[in-house]
Amino acid sequence: DVKVTQSSRYLVKRTGEKVFLECVQDMDHENMFWYRQDPGLGLRLIYFSYDVKMKEKGDIPEGYSVSREKKERFSLILESASTNQTSMYLCASSPRQSGRFEQYFGPGTRLTVT
Amino acid sequence: AQSVTQLGSHVSVSEGALVLLRCNYSSSVPPYLFWYVQYPNQGLQLLLKYTTGATLVKGINGFEAEFKKSETSFHLTKPSAHMSDAAEYFCAVIGGFKTIFGAGTRLFVKA
């Protein structure tokens, strides 16, 4: 079974802090994704990566950056946390094989910025 | 551009009743379509997917969905709801490298 793990389930940070969210997958997937989930808005893509050291902006990249130094690990960084970044953050991975677009999700990190 | 619309942010059914969650999509190419489920305090889990071939797709936990090109729909059904089906359900379509998710439908199951 594919396993995607996220470093924290719950996180509370102060405004202005630098925040790191870590995601690790164990199935050798090429593609990795970071989403934020807010009520009524579904999932919105922040960044994705289709290879080590590669990254692409999603729909809402402002205020975020990412790092992918190893294939299995994809980190989301909030350079200076703000209250409007309070949200549920979901990491996902998927294989690159043709026709296999399904994504495998981690349990999520609920981040509160005060 | 690809998009997904889920009709109804909340659906309530009685235990044993039919579950019907509606999804309409927009796609300029033959779509790849998905339904995911999210149980409380968990990530999303794939229920079923349509890529090519048979238009009636069976998934886990007794759910199925039918791809109807003429109606641009991919509605999710289950003949008999169970209390354990209470969750949020997301319809999704592939758009290039990305997966486009609907806003979600929360399913409530009454005893």
Side-chain angles (χ1 to χ4, degrees):
Chain A
D1 271 358
V2 176
K3 192 152 188 184
V4 180
T5 56
Q6 296 184 228
S7 51
S8 305
R9 293 298 303 272
Y10 300 93
L11 211 51
V12 179
K13 296 292 181 181
R14 293 183 182 269
T15 302
E17 278 194 83
K18 191 168 186 176
V19 181
F20 294 87
L21 303 183
E22 304 283 336
C23 175
V24 177
Q25 50 95 3
D26 67 358
M27 280 302 290
D28 204 36
H29 285 171
E30 289 79 9
N31 304 323
M32 296 188 76
F33 307 82
W34 274 107
Y35 296 90
R36 65 175 282 175
Q37 181 180 16
D38 300 288
L41 297 178
L43 276 71
R44 293 181 292 168
L45 183 64
I46 304 171
Y47 269 96
F48 66 101
S49 169
Y50 51 87
D51 206 344
V52 177
K53 296 193 185 294
M54 305 299 287
K55 60 185 179 184
E56 294 285 340
K57 292 180 179 179
D59 301 315
I60 52 164
E62 297 78 19
Y64 304 94
S65 62
V66 291
S67 172
R68 193 164 180 203
E69 296 296 319
K70 293 186 177 182
K71 190 175 185 179
E72 68 271 17
R73 188 179 298 267
F74 192 35
S75 303
L76 180 69
I77 302 151
L78 286 65
E79 297 290 343
S80 177
S82 64
T83 55
N84 62 14
Q85 293 179 309
T86 292
S87 187
M88 170 72 90
Y89 290 88
L90 293 168
C91 175
S93 72
S94 72
R96 192 184 290 164
Q97 295 161 252
S98 178
R100 289 208 51 203
F101 298 101
E102 63 268 24
Q103 296 187 10
Y104 298 84
F105 284 82
T109 296
R110 187 167 294 281
L111 173 68
T112 302
V113 182
T114 61
Chain B
Q2 284 77 3
S3 66
V4 169
T5 302
Q6 291 184 239
L7 301 173
S9 58
H10 297 84
V11 170
S12 182
V13 300
S14 297
E15 193 172 21
L18 171 71
V19 175
L20 171 61
L21 304 182
R22 300 176 187 273
C23 172
N24 287 91
Y25 70 90
S26 171
S27 178
S28 56
V29 298
Y32 285 15
L33 295 159
F34 304 82
W35 276 99
Y36 288 85
V37 61
Q38 184 180 32
Y39 298 104
N41 297 316
Q42 294 186 28
L44 277 68
Q45 176 184 354
L46 182 69
L47 261 184
L48 49 80
K49 66 178 180 180
Y50 168 79
T51 53
T52 58
T55 56
L56 183 62
V57 180
K58 294 188 185 298
I60 61 172
N61 302 337
F63 284 93
E64 60 184 36
E66 187 170 10
F67 169 62
K68 291 188 176 180
K69 185 178 178 181
S70 60
E71 299 178 9
T72 62
S73 69
F74 191 56
H75 301 332
L76 182 70
T77 59
K78 182 173 180 178
S80 177
H82 192 272
M83 296 298 288
S84 61
D85 295 326
E88 190 156 21
Y89 293 79
F90 294 90
C91 183
V93 65
I94 293 293
F97 250 119
K98 302 189 292 184
T99 299
I100 313 299
F101 290 88
T105 298
R106 187 167 294 279
L107 177 66
F108 297 92
V109 182
K110 299 175 289 186

